[in-house]
Amino acid sequence: MKISLIRKSLVLLGASALIATGTIVAIPAASAAPTCAVASGVTTCLGKLTAGGDYVIKVPANFGGTVFFWNHGFRNSYTIPGVTAAPTTVQEITPANDTTLKDITAIMLKKGFGVASYDGVSKGLHGWNNTDRIEMLKELIDITGEQFTSMKKKVVYGSSQAGSFLPAFAEKYPSYADAVGIMAGLEPAKTTFASLCDTMFILSVFADPNIKGCSALGVSDARGGQTVAVGEIQKVGALLTTWSQNLGAPSIAYPASIAPYGIPQRSALLMMGLLTGIPTKSAHMDGITPSSKILEQSINSTVAVLENAAVSIVTGVLAGQAISQLTGPGFYDNTKTDYASLLTDAELGRYNLGLSGDDGINLMLATLAAAPRIKGDPEAMARFAALDKTNYSSTKPFVLMANEADRLVFPGNQALFVEKARAAYDARVEKYDAALAAAVTSAQKKAVRATKPVWNVVSLYAVTPDTYTKYTAAGLPDFTAAPAPSGVGHQTFTVPQMTEWVRLLANAATSGKVAPQSSTPYFAKHAAGLSDDPDYMPNELKFK
Amino acid sequence: MNIRASLTRRTFGRVITVTAGVAVSALALSALPATAATEPGVSATEIVLGMQLPQTGAASPGYNKVDDAMRAYFDYVNSKGGVYGRKIRLEVKDDNYKAGLTVSTASALINKEKIFAFIGSVGTQTHVSVIADINRRKIPDLFVNSGYTGFYTNPKKYPTTFGGLGTYVTEAKILGKYMKETFLTEKIGIIYQTDDFGRNTVAGLKSAGYTFEARKTAATFVAGTQAGGLDAQMTQLKDNGVEVVVVGAVASAFAAAVASANKIGYKPKKWVVISVGADATTFQTILLDKGIPLATSAFLLTGTITSSHAPAPGDATDEFVTAFKKINKDFNNGPETTWDNNVLQGMNIAYQMTSVLVGVGKNGVTRKNVISYMEKNAAKITSAAFSPLGYSATTHEAFTGFWVGAYDASTVLKPVGATRQMWTTDSGTGPVTELKWTRPAIGADSLPKGFSAK
């Protein structure tokens, strides 16, 4: 799904959104040999995978033996008129900026890399096809190897949803991945979707009790499910559209217990953002620059939450519906969530004013604590928790890159991957040390030493400039101004950033090792906007 | 790994060679300070420290003098050859009291300036945005200019952070004791900001036996809104017959409260203000911006009760005041060098830091050593304060003692009694008792004891 299309979706959803009555494409029984042609020194092969998705392979005349296999993020199965068109073929051959749509295919081909990509459709549907996509990727690599026998190194890389299955791919088919690249990648879905569902829940408590959120998802029929999901999005869309006009100035009117206290609705909006981890910087809001219209420092961050939520909720709900088709209804349960514990000291201190002070904070948290919770279905919850399992056992080089203020897949996903990979690595080191201590003969020691674990992950973050918010003459946020050049949005990296990421992946595939994290300042010199801080840590996810 | 077991006969010759090489390297290294090659911000000739504060913006008046005062003292130390030959360089970043800028300027200090430690950073709401990250990186975070207990009373949570002020709770308890003994019949009320600062103040007063009734004797506001005036809060206290107003808020709020009270004709018998909110320079600067002349603001401040851990800047008999004033005159190159409490505090932090660097020794300037030294040797860290530092393994609170004073007509804080009497307590439920402690004399040449340039 092109997020750039979704970005303008709220207004449309606020009016009307119809589900297209498209037809499910016929699934070919088996893949056929690709059709190849040469143009301008590039051999391009087209074909169809067994599951029915198209694929593209491009190999330049100066091919050096390394092929990059691109894995796209979430795609919707059905067109929503005026909002998003369901893909019918390959949309990205290489990483592309989701806003500018600039990709780096020409750059990669010029460097002598082969590039390949596929449309991750299975059984006529996109959505949460992770299990199938692992096999699709393997199939594409097999086809490429047969077609281009000079292929020596294979880089599997992808964005967003792909982050939730590429580690499992590397574990299942280690010989098919010499390096793994994850851009704006999702850790196994449960953490992010727990927060997304919380978003809807909190909005239902403070703003619109008609919002059912994730408790409405789980319709087994994909098309019917999407209708339900879009209905939920419409409710949220209407709410956020209103807030974008009045900046949440009116007092919270609902529920009755909180209404008399005159807490502005924007405090509830900010509270929702902080409790769910929605970034407090966005494409146009730097989280710092104050407005002359609203004299409080948190307003910038509050509007950032609004701008980010507009996109994250739309995509998240559609993806949540796709997931619920696997889990069944009831995958979300917040009966045990202690919302007060989700606020950090830094958030309580920094955003105290935006949250209407201690009194406002306490009232809102008390209201959340007293609100009837959503009880999930144990079996669906278990299936949800079991989605996209990986054990972080792959020793292949991993190069990760995320935006500081990714509005959809929060950057804490990347930090969580590193944390879990580090824990797995530490366990391997412990095992290695024990084995070495137990070895008696020099031959035994040599054999053990040959297995010495190597830390093979490097984690890069694109960051924003300090300030970039523009206000109109009336003191309102200027959403027509140029967005931040780096660090915001989802899969919105600059060409130099994507090129540097690919360079690191190519080197890692050749050497079997990633460049050390301490080289981060060096990488940053190659690509403006990459953090030069080797110890940079984004905000943690609310759930792990 | 079992190193001894690996010394097999076959590899013995190679081990000897390697060992010899290591020994030679060790000898070569021993000629240099052990820290020079490895510790960020430390070389054989320099120690780089970093500070964040509002140099500009609405919150800057008064605070924006602290950094120049610190630098002046360090320049003085450098003029004496530096600590064990290392000059101290203070890198300062203006965060405008905006937490987003606090985050980015902290990153710049760490990654671009390569500082050894943070020192004297100003502000609770701003520092709370970076304290976890600074601690995660194990960077010393010393003499923070905030009295919020949450930063210091659980060193397991923030092991590298040490206070630069007494806590708001400690101060409120001591002021509360004074009030109990002084205002026997008066009705007491409070105005406080509904955040960490205000919470600490209320907690301290509760420990002293004071509780307040919401929307009657307790008026609140959200920090940051005081620029619009505090008329409603002052009207509330007036209407409820409050005679003594306690202020648990920053100086701009105290100024706004006084201005509002003045505006509505409310004349409390006394204002009792936590010291951070009662800085005379800040108070008068803010009111001057509102068009209230200095003479008027001095009149409005007269009689205000507050407390301090340090000598009054106007105390010409104090040896630290005399020494620091001279250093300020000779070395302060800041835009505003007028001697006041902010300059004194800045000088004192720099003096304490120098004391710590002297204490860890020439070859001991590591982040780990500095933190350990401060926890174990608080009594050896000398300062201008009339209170010892409370640092230990179980708390990183700074000054545990205060004296209570009142501003006179020339905005000088004078002890409420005939002489200055120090009181001490903790940030918990411990009693307030008289502090019997003698401040160590200032070191020779206004340098901490043991100072050496070699």
Side-chain angles (χ1 to χ4, degrees), chain B residues 292-344:
Chain B
I292 297 175
L294 291 175
T296 307
S297 61
F299 173 76
L300 292 171
L301 187 64
T302 302
T304 296
I305 302 291
T306 187
S307 56
S308 176
H309 58 266
D315 186 349
T317 65
D318 188 275
E319 61 175 356
F320 276 91
V321 170
T322 305
F324 287 170
K325 272 182 94 167
K326 183 170 188 325
I327 293 168
N328 184 54
K329 180 171 172 287
D330 295 342
F331 287 88
N332 195 335
N333 297 315
E336 223 303 281
T337 61
T338 307
W339 174 254
D340 67 6
N341 198 48
N342 297 295
V343 178
L344 172 59

Side-chain angles (χ1 to χ4, degrees), chain B residues 154-414:
Chain B
N154 182 3
K156 285 182 180 169
K157 186 175 184 183
Y158 299 130
T160 75
T161 297
F162 292 78
L165 304 169
T167 70
Y168 302 132
V169 172
T170 298
E171 199 177 346
K173 285 171 72 176
I174 290 170
L175 284 170
K177 174 182 168 58
Y178 168 78
M179 288 159 55
K180 277 282 177 189
E181 293 168 351
T182 308
F183 306 121
L184 302 177
T185 58
E186 289 84 351
K187 190 167 186 180
I188 313 291
I190 186 171
I191 177 166
Y192 67 95
Q193 53 193 62
T194 57
D195 62 7
D196 298 328
F197 187 169
R199 273 198 301 272
N200 269 196
T201 306
V202 171
L205 290 171
K206 186 177 180 186
S207 179
Y210 286 107
T211 53
F212 303 96
E213 199 173 351
R215 287 181 281 282
K216 289 189 175 172
T217 56
T220 60
F221 67 98
V222 179
T225 60
Q226 64 267 32
L230 296 170
D231 294 6
Q233 289 83 351
M234 288 300 102
T235 302
Q236 174 198 316
L237 296 180
K238 182 186 179 190
D239 291 348
N240 283 281
V242 171
E243 297 166 281
V244 174
V245 179
V246 183
V247 181
V250 295
S252 58
F254 174 44
V258 170
S260 288
N262 199 39
K263 181 177 155 190
I264 64 171
Y266 175 38
K267 292 184 172 54
K269 279 187 183 176
K270 282 290 177 192
W271 296 90
V272 180
V273 188
I274 296 291
S275 58
V276 166
D279 178 66
T281 308
T282 315
F283 178 82
Q284 290 195 283
T285 304
I286 290 167
L287 289 188
L288 190 62
D289 284 348
K290 292 175 182 291
I292 297 175
L294 291 175
T296 307
S297 61
F299 173 76
L300 292 171
L301 187 64
T302 302
T304 296
I305 302 291
T306 187
S307 56
S308 176
H309 58 266
D315 186 349
T317 65
D318 188 275
E319 61 175 356
F320 276 91
V321 170
T322 305
F324 287 170
K325 272 182 94 167
K326 183 170 188 325
I327 293 168
N328 184 54
K329 180 171 172 287
D330 295 342
F331 287 88
N332 195 335
N333 297 315
E336 223 303 281
T337 61
T338 307
W339 174 254
D340 67 6
N341 198 48
N342 297 295
V343 178
L344 172 59
Q345 172 70 357
M347 289 267 172
N348 198 42
I349 286 175
Y351 183 86
Q352 292 174 119
M353 186 70 222
T354 306
S355 178
V356 170
L357 293 174
V358 168
V360 296
K362 183 173 187 175
N363 296 331
V365 190
T366 65
R367 288 171 165 174
K368 193 175 175 184
N369 280 353
V370 161
I371 291 162
S372 173
Y373 182 85
M374 290 184 68
E375 282 190 343
K376 293 174 182 165
N377 298 280
K380 293 180 182 172
I381 304 170
T382 51
S383 97
F386 294 117
S387 162
L389 289 159
Y391 306 147
S392 70
T394 55
T395 183
H396 289 179
E397 295 166 80
F399 303 111
T400 53
F402 287 86
W403 56 276
V404 180
Y407 278 106
D408 68 11
S410 57
T411 70
V412 173
L413 189 66
K414 297 278 179 65

